[in-house]
Amino acid sequence: MKRLLTGLACLAVALFLAIALGEQPIPPRAVMAALLYPDEAPVQHVFIIHTLRLPRAVLAALVGAALGVAGTITQAVMRNPLAEPGLLGINGGAALAALAIMLWLPGTSATLVPAAALAGALAAATAIYALSWRGGIGPQRVILIGLGCGAFMGAGTSFLSAFGEVTAVQRAMLWLSGSFTGSGWRAVLGVALTLAPLLALAWIFARVLDLLAMDEAVARGLGLRVQAARAAIVAIGALLCGASVAAAGPVGFIGLMAPHLARRITGPTHAALIPAAALAGALLLLLADVAGQNVIAPNAIPAGIMAALMGAPFFAWLMWKGRHDG
């Protein structure tokens, strides 16, 4: 509990930094005044905080939480600590479908992109699941098929980018790098309404995830219908990924890092691990966005690129640790 409270305090600090720092820094006292007494604070501070920075920070935290839980689900279902939705091609499916809408139907992208991303993530998960079926689903087979499908969808994304209309492609490239630029309260509300039931479902399935993380024979012996449970949970993870991609574009490595950090707080039991992974994911992506906005200010680095810069060394460390432990 103490570690969890520490994590919440760190998230609060990160939210405050996201609000205070930027191209125009705002002193801490002025931030508090704009948050607590907006009618009395300077108009420019209120506009910057309430219209620009606060919705962006909240959206980054929501997307990070979704990716953290999706990564936890993926690692449990695959029984592999290196698994994450981006490596399995689910993010790629969501990105490909959303990009197609952006380039082919630009006038309706605001309403259709979220639906396309959700559909693309589900389609990718279904394709991976179907191609991996051999009288059942083996985690290693799913990972290999997922890597292949991810490469195929990445090629499709590159194809669309190469032959799309130049202006639309330029706008889409920022989104493909994982960016929260232009985020507003409408986007926050849409993502929150989508993620709330999915995160609740993931937590409801915590006991099932505990069983799936065991040996398959043990889980079946304890009465779990392994294949049906795995399919249902993969669908939840795919929808979490689709909602995340719709909000910010494909962001990698958060789903890999967050579950590992959460296990250090709670241990492997998913009833506690899922909320902790959501907290860790929110904190990681929010810090990535804050760093991206300030490290080379006034220029900005998209949060997805900063997440990759953080996650690649972490992935290398996990590989080294697994080899050393082995």
PDB file of all heavy atoms in Angstrom, residues 99-128:
ATOM      1  N   LEU A  99      -5.113   4.954 -40.057  1.00  0.00           N
ATOM      2  CA  LEU A  99      -4.421   5.722 -41.090  1.00  0.00           C
ATOM      3  C   LEU A  99      -5.200   5.695 -42.411  1.00  0.00           C
ATOM      4  O   LEU A  99      -5.271   6.708 -43.116  1.00  0.00           O
ATOM      5  CB  LEU A  99      -3.013   5.172 -41.299  1.00  0.00           C
ATOM      6  CG  LEU A  99      -2.158   5.886 -42.351  1.00  0.00           C
ATOM      7  CD1 LEU A  99      -1.913   7.337 -41.953  1.00  0.00           C
ATOM      8  CD2 LEU A  99      -0.838   5.160 -42.556  1.00  0.00           C
ATOM      9  N   ALA A 100      -5.785   4.561 -42.734  1.00  0.00           N
ATOM     10  CA  ALA A 100      -6.579   4.473 -43.958  1.00  0.00           C
ATOM     11  C   ALA A 100      -7.728   5.462 -43.931  1.00  0.00           C
ATOM     12  O   ALA A 100      -8.020   6.146 -44.929  1.00  0.00           O
ATOM     13  CB  ALA A 100      -7.100   3.045 -44.129  1.00  0.00           C
ATOM     14  N   ILE A 101      -8.398   5.606 -42.786  1.00  0.00           N
ATOM     15  CA  ILE A 101      -9.493   6.575 -42.671  1.00  0.00           C
ATOM     16  C   ILE A 101      -8.955   7.997 -42.793  1.00  0.00           C
ATOM     17  O   ILE A 101      -9.541   8.858 -43.457  1.00  0.00           O
ATOM     18  CB  ILE A 101     -10.237   6.384 -41.337  1.00  0.00           C
ATOM     19  CG1 ILE A 101     -10.941   5.016 -41.310  1.00  0.00           C
ATOM     20  CG2 ILE A 101     -11.240   7.507 -41.123  1.00  0.00           C
ATOM     21  CD1 ILE A 101     -12.003   4.844 -42.358  1.00  0.00           C
ATOM     22  N   MET A 102      -7.826   8.269 -42.152  1.00  0.00           N
ATOM     23  CA  MET A 102      -7.244   9.613 -42.207  1.00  0.00           C
ATOM     24  C   MET A 102      -6.921  10.041 -43.640  1.00  0.00           C
ATOM     25  O   MET A 102      -7.119  11.194 -44.009  1.00  0.00           O
ATOM     26  CB  MET A 102      -5.959   9.656 -41.368  1.00  0.00           C
ATOM     27  CG  MET A 102      -6.163   9.632 -39.888  1.00  0.00           C
ATOM     28  SD  MET A 102      -4.575   9.744 -39.025  1.00  0.00           S
ATOM     29  CE  MET A 102      -5.122   9.780 -37.331  1.00  0.00           C
ATOM     30  N   LEU A 103      -6.414   9.091 -44.425  1.00  0.00           N
ATOM     31  CA  LEU A 103      -5.977   9.432 -45.774  1.00  0.00           C
ATOM     32  C   LEU A 103      -7.106   9.367 -46.797  1.00  0.00           C
ATOM     33  O   LEU A 103      -7.121  10.148 -47.743  1.00  0.00           O
ATOM     34  CB  LEU A 103      -4.837   8.495 -46.198  1.00  0.00           C
ATOM     35  CG  LEU A 103      -3.559   8.560 -45.354  1.00  0.00           C
ATOM     36  CD1 LEU A 103      -2.494   7.638 -45.926  1.00  0.00           C
ATOM     37  CD2 LEU A 103      -3.026   9.981 -45.262  1.00  0.00           C
ATOM     38  N   TRP A 104      -8.040   8.456 -46.628  1.00  0.00           N
ATOM     39  CA  TRP A 104      -9.096   8.265 -47.620  1.00  0.00           C
ATOM     40  C   TRP A 104     -10.349   9.072 -47.333  1.00  0.00           C
ATOM     41  O   TRP A 104     -11.073   9.468 -48.247  1.00  0.00           O
ATOM     42  CB  TRP A 104      -9.455   6.782 -47.730  1.00  0.00           C
ATOM     43  CG  TRP A 104      -8.333   5.934 -48.257  1.00  0.00           C
ATOM     44  CD1 TRP A 104      -7.231   6.364 -48.948  1.00  0.00           C
ATOM     45  CD2 TRP A 104      -8.193   4.522 -48.133  1.00  0.00           C
ATOM     46  NE1 TRP A 104      -6.411   5.299 -49.248  1.00  0.00           N
ATOM     47  CE2 TRP A 104      -6.974   4.144 -48.763  1.00  0.00           C
ATOM     48  CE3 TRP A 104      -8.972   3.523 -47.545  1.00  0.00           C
ATOM     49  CZ2 TRP A 104      -6.524   2.831 -48.825  1.00  0.00           C
ATOM     50  CZ3 TRP A 104      -8.529   2.206 -47.609  1.00  0.00           C
ATOM     51  CH2 TRP A 104      -7.319   1.863 -48.246  1.00  0.00           C
ATOM     52  N   LEU A 105     -10.636   9.309 -46.046  1.00  0.00           N
ATOM     53  CA  LEU A 105     -11.841  10.057 -45.669  1.00  0.00           C
ATOM     54  C   LEU A 105     -11.465  11.154 -44.678  1.00  0.00           C
ATOM     55  O   LEU A 105     -11.916  11.147 -43.522  1.00  0.00           O
ATOM     56  CB  LEU A 105     -12.878   9.115 -45.044  1.00  0.00           C
ATOM     57  CG  LEU A 105     -13.389   7.970 -45.927  1.00  0.00           C
ATOM     58  CD1 LEU A 105     -14.223   6.989 -45.112  1.00  0.00           C
ATOM     59  CD2 LEU A 105     -14.205   8.518 -47.095  1.00  0.00           C
ATOM     60  N   PRO A 106     -10.630  12.094 -45.086  1.00  0.00           N
ATOM     61  CA  PRO A 106     -10.115  13.091 -44.137  1.00  0.00           C
ATOM     62  C   PRO A 106     -11.198  13.948 -43.496  1.00  0.00           C
ATOM     63  O   PRO A 106     -11.062  14.372 -42.351  1.00  0.00           O
ATOM     64  CB  PRO A 106      -9.161  13.936 -44.995  1.00  0.00           C
ATOM     65  CG  PRO A 106      -9.617  13.723 -46.406  1.00  0.00           C
ATOM     66  CD  PRO A 106     -10.135  12.323 -46.456  1.00  0.00           C
ATOM     67  N   GLY A 107     -12.282  14.182 -44.185  1.00  0.00           N
ATOM     68  CA  GLY A 107     -13.328  15.020 -43.630  1.00  0.00           C
ATOM     69  C   GLY A 107     -14.082  14.392 -42.482  1.00  0.00           C
ATOM     70  O   GLY A 107     -14.720  15.088 -41.690  1.00  0.00           O
ATOM     71  N   THR A 108     -14.031  13.082 -42.376  1.00  0.00           N
ATOM     72  CA  THR A 108     -14.778  12.380 -41.315  1.00  0.00           C
ATOM     73  C   THR A 108     -13.847  11.715 -40.314  1.00  0.00           C
ATOM     74  O   THR A 108     -14.291  10.899 -39.502  1.00  0.00           O
ATOM     75  CB  THR A 108     -15.682  11.297 -41.931  1.00  0.00           C
ATOM     76  OG1 THR A 108     -14.873  10.367 -42.676  1.00  0.00           O
ATOM     77  CG2 THR A 108     -16.704  11.909 -42.865  1.00  0.00           C
ATOM     78  N   SER A 109     -12.567  12.055 -40.358  1.00  0.00           N
ATOM     79  CA  SER A 109     -11.592  11.329 -39.538  1.00  0.00           C
ATOM     80  C   SER A 109     -11.850  11.473 -38.049  1.00  0.00           C
ATOM     81  O   SER A 109     -11.585  10.560 -37.270  1.00  0.00           O
ATOM     82  CB  SER A 109     -10.175  11.804 -39.870  1.00  0.00           C
ATOM     83  OG  SER A 109     -10.025  13.173 -39.574  1.00  0.00           O
ATOM     84  N   ALA A 110     -12.394  12.640 -37.606  1.00  0.00           N
ATOM     85  CA  ALA A 110     -12.593  12.860 -36.174  1.00  0.00           C
ATOM     86  C   ALA A 110     -13.567  11.855 -35.575  1.00  0.00           C
ATOM     87  O   ALA A 110     -13.424  11.455 -34.425  1.00  0.00           O
ATOM     88  CB  ALA A 110     -13.083  14.283 -35.930  1.00  0.00           C
ATOM     89  N   THR A 111     -14.559  11.445 -36.347  1.00  0.00           N
ATOM     90  CA  THR A 111     -15.545  10.504 -35.812  1.00  0.00           C
ATOM     91  C   THR A 111     -15.226   9.050 -36.167  1.00  0.00           C
ATOM     92  O   THR A 111     -15.558   8.143 -35.406  1.00  0.00           O
ATOM     93  CB  THR A 111     -16.944  10.850 -36.349  1.00  0.00           C
ATOM     94  OG1 THR A 111     -16.891  10.899 -37.789  1.00  0.00           O
ATOM     95  CG2 THR A 111     -17.398  12.202 -35.834  1.00  0.00           C
ATOM     96  N   LEU A 112     -14.599   8.832 -37.311  1.00  0.00           N
ATOM     97  CA  LEU A 112     -14.373   7.464 -37.764  1.00  0.00           C
ATOM     98  C   LEU A 112     -13.045   6.864 -37.305  1.00  0.00           C
ATOM     99  O   LEU A 112     -12.919   5.641 -37.237  1.00  0.00           O
ATOM    100  CB  LEU A 112     -14.448   7.395 -39.294  1.00  0.00           C
ATOM    101  CG  LEU A 112     -15.824   7.590 -39.923  1.00  0.00           C
ATOM    102  CD1 LEU A 112     -15.757   7.423 -41.428  1.00  0.00           C
ATOM    103  CD2 LEU A 112     -16.838   6.625 -39.319  1.00  0.00           C
ATOM    104  N   VAL A 113     -12.051   7.705 -37.013  1.00  0.00           N
ATOM    105  CA  VAL A 113     -10.745   7.165 -36.625  1.00  0.00           C
ATOM    106  C   VAL A 113     -10.825   6.285 -35.373  1.00  0.00           C
ATOM    107  O   VAL A 113     -10.271   5.177 -35.352  1.00  0.00           O
ATOM    108  CB  VAL A 113      -9.715   8.304 -36.449  1.00  0.00           C
ATOM    109  CG1 VAL A 113      -8.480   7.815 -35.685  1.00  0.00           C
ATOM    110  CG2 VAL A 113      -9.280   8.819 -37.804  1.00  0.00           C
ATOM    111  N   PRO A 114     -11.494   6.718 -34.289  1.00  0.00           N
ATOM    112  CA  PRO A 114     -11.576   5.827 -33.120  1.00  0.00           C
ATOM    113  C   PRO A 114     -12.237   4.487 -33.445  1.00  0.00           C
ATOM    114  O   PRO A 114     -11.754   3.433 -33.023  1.00  0.00           O
ATOM    115  CB  PRO A 114     -12.416   6.636 -32.122  1.00  0.00           C
ATOM    116  CG  PRO A 114     -12.211   8.052 -32.520  1.00  0.00           C
ATOM    117  CD  PRO A 114     -12.108   8.031 -34.007  1.00  0.00           C
ATOM    118  N   ALA A 115     -13.339   4.522 -34.205  1.00  0.00           N
ATOM    119  CA  ALA A 115     -14.014   3.270 -34.560  1.00  0.00           C
ATOM    120  C   ALA A 115     -13.120   2.402 -35.439  1.00  0.00           C
ATOM    121  O   ALA A 115     -13.057   1.179 -35.269  1.00  0.00           O
ATOM    122  CB  ALA A 115     -15.328   3.575 -35.282  1.00  0.00           C
ATOM    123  N   ALA A 116     -12.407   3.027 -36.384  1.00  0.00           N
ATOM    124  CA  ALA A 116     -11.512   2.269 -37.256  1.00  0.00           C
ATOM    125  C   ALA A 116     -10.376   1.652 -36.472  1.00  0.00           C
ATOM    126  O   ALA A 116      -9.977   0.502 -36.721  1.00  0.00           O
ATOM    127  CB  ALA A 116     -10.963   3.180 -38.356  1.00  0.00           C
ATOM    128  N   ALA A 117      -9.824   2.391 -35.511  1.00  0.00           N
ATOM    129  CA  ALA A 117      -8.724   1.853 -34.704  1.00  0.00           C
ATOM    130  C   ALA A 117      -9.183   0.660 -33.873  1.00  0.00           C
ATOM    131  O   ALA A 117      -8.476  -0.360 -33.781  1.00  0.00           O
ATOM    132  CB  ALA A 117      -8.159   2.946 -33.803  1.00  0.00           C
ATOM    133  N   LEU A 118     -10.359   0.765 -33.273  1.00  0.00           N
ATOM    134  CA  LEU A 118     -10.894  -0.360 -32.501  1.00  0.00           C
ATOM    135  C   LEU A 118     -11.121  -1.573 -33.405  1.00  0.00           C
ATOM    136  O   LEU A 118     -10.760  -2.707 -33.059  1.00  0.00           O
ATOM    137  CB  LEU A 118     -12.192   0.037 -31.817  1.00  0.00           C
ATOM    138  CG  LEU A 118     -12.079   1.037 -30.661  1.00  0.00           C
ATOM    139  CD1 LEU A 118     -13.451   1.497 -30.219  1.00  0.00           C
ATOM    140  CD2 LEU A 118     -11.329   0.422 -29.487  1.00  0.00           C
ATOM    141  N   ALA A 119     -11.723  -1.325 -34.581  1.00  0.00           N
ATOM    142  CA  ALA A 119     -11.974  -2.427 -35.512  1.00  0.00           C
ATOM    143  C   ALA A 119     -10.665  -3.029 -36.015  1.00  0.00           C
ATOM    144  O   ALA A 119     -10.547  -4.261 -36.145  1.00  0.00           O
ATOM    145  CB  ALA A 119     -12.812  -1.923 -36.687  1.00  0.00           C
ATOM    146  N   GLY A 120      -9.676  -2.183 -36.290  1.00  0.00           N
ATOM    147  CA  GLY A 120      -8.396  -2.689 -36.763  1.00  0.00           C
ATOM    148  C   GLY A 120      -7.678  -3.523 -35.720  1.00  0.00           C
ATOM    149  O   GLY A 120      -7.072  -4.556 -36.045  1.00  0.00           O
ATOM    150  N   ALA A 121      -7.735  -3.091 -34.464  1.00  0.00           N
ATOM    151  CA  ALA A 121      -7.110  -3.862 -33.398  1.00  0.00           C
ATOM    152  C   ALA A 121      -7.792  -5.223 -33.232  1.00  0.00           C
ATOM    153  O   ALA A 121      -7.122  -6.261 -33.090  1.00  0.00           O
ATOM    154  CB  ALA A 121      -7.166  -3.085 -32.084  1.00  0.00           C
ATOM    155  N   LEU A 122      -9.131  -5.223 -33.264  1.00  0.00           N
ATOM    156  CA  LEU A 122      -9.856  -6.496 -33.151  1.00  0.00           C
ATOM    157  C   LEU A 122      -9.582  -7.403 -34.348  1.00  0.00           C
ATOM    158  O   LEU A 122      -9.410  -8.622 -34.196  1.00  0.00           O
ATOM    159  CB  LEU A 122     -11.355  -6.228 -33.037  1.00  0.00           C
ATOM    160  CG  LEU A 122     -11.923  -6.021 -31.637  1.00  0.00           C
ATOM    161  CD1 LEU A 122     -13.423  -5.769 -31.714  1.00  0.00           C
ATOM    162  CD2 LEU A 122     -11.637  -7.224 -30.740  1.00  0.00           C
ATOM    163  N   ALA A 123      -9.526  -6.809 -35.550  1.00  0.00           N
ATOM    164  CA  ALA A 123      -9.251  -7.600 -36.749  1.00  0.00           C
ATOM    165  C   ALA A 123      -7.860  -8.211 -36.681  1.00  0.00           C
ATOM    166  O   ALA A 123      -7.660  -9.383 -37.046  1.00  0.00           O
ATOM    167  CB  ALA A 123      -9.385  -6.724 -37.993  1.00  0.00           C
ATOM    168  N   ALA A 124      -6.878  -7.438 -36.216  1.00  0.00           N
ATOM    169  CA  ALA A 124      -5.518  -7.964 -36.089  1.00  0.00           C
ATOM    170  C   ALA A 124      -5.468  -9.100 -35.082  1.00  0.00           C
ATOM    171  O   ALA A 124      -4.861 -10.154 -35.337  1.00  0.00           O
ATOM    172  CB  ALA A 124      -4.561  -6.843 -35.685  1.00  0.00           C
ATOM    173  N   ALA A 125      -6.124  -8.902 -33.926  1.00  0.00           N
ATOM    174  CA  ALA A 125      -6.138  -9.955 -32.911  1.00  0.00           C
ATOM    175  C   ALA A 125      -6.827 -11.212 -33.432  1.00  0.00           C
ATOM    176  O   ALA A 125      -6.371 -12.341 -33.186  1.00  0.00           O
ATOM    177  CB  ALA A 125      -6.829  -9.453 -31.647  1.00  0.00           C
ATOM    178  N   THR A 126      -7.934 -11.041 -34.173  1.00  0.00           N
ATOM    179  CA  THR A 126      -8.656 -12.187 -34.728  1.00  0.00           C
ATOM    180  C   THR A 126      -7.803 -12.927 -35.748  1.00  0.00           C
ATOM    181  O   THR A 126      -7.757 -14.166 -35.763  1.00  0.00           O
ATOM    182  CB  THR A 126      -9.967 -11.720 -35.383  1.00  0.00           C
ATOM    183  OG1 THR A 126     -10.766 -11.042 -34.408  1.00  0.00           O
ATOM    184  CG2 THR A 126     -10.747 -12.900 -35.947  1.00  0.00           C
ATOM    185  N   ALA A 127      -7.122 -12.165 -36.610  1.00  0.00           N
ATOM    186  CA  ALA A 127      -6.269 -12.795 -37.621  1.00  0.00           C
ATOM    187  C   ALA A 127      -5.127 -13.570 -36.979  1.00  0.00           C
ATOM    188  O   ALA A 127      -4.825 -14.706 -37.380  1.00  0.00           O
ATOM    189  CB  ALA A 127      -5.721 -11.724 -38.571  1.00  0.00           C
ATOM    190  N   ILE A 128      -4.499 -12.964 -35.978  1.00  0.00           N
ATOM    191  CA  ILE A 128      -3.397 -13.642 -35.285  1.00  0.00           C
ATOM    192  C   ILE A 128      -3.906 -14.903 -34.601  1.00  0.00           C
ATOM    193  O   ILE A 128      -3.277 -15.967 -34.657  1.00  0.00           O
ATOM    194  CB  ILE A 128      -2.746 -12.677 -34.274  1.00  0.00           C
ATOM    195  CG1 ILE A 128      -2.053 -11.538 -35.010  1.00  0.00           C
ATOM    196  CG2 ILE A 128      -1.751 -13.411 -33.385  1.00  0.00           C
ATOM    197  CD1 ILE A 128      -1.686 -10.372 -34.112  1.00  0.00           C
TER     198      ILE A 128
END
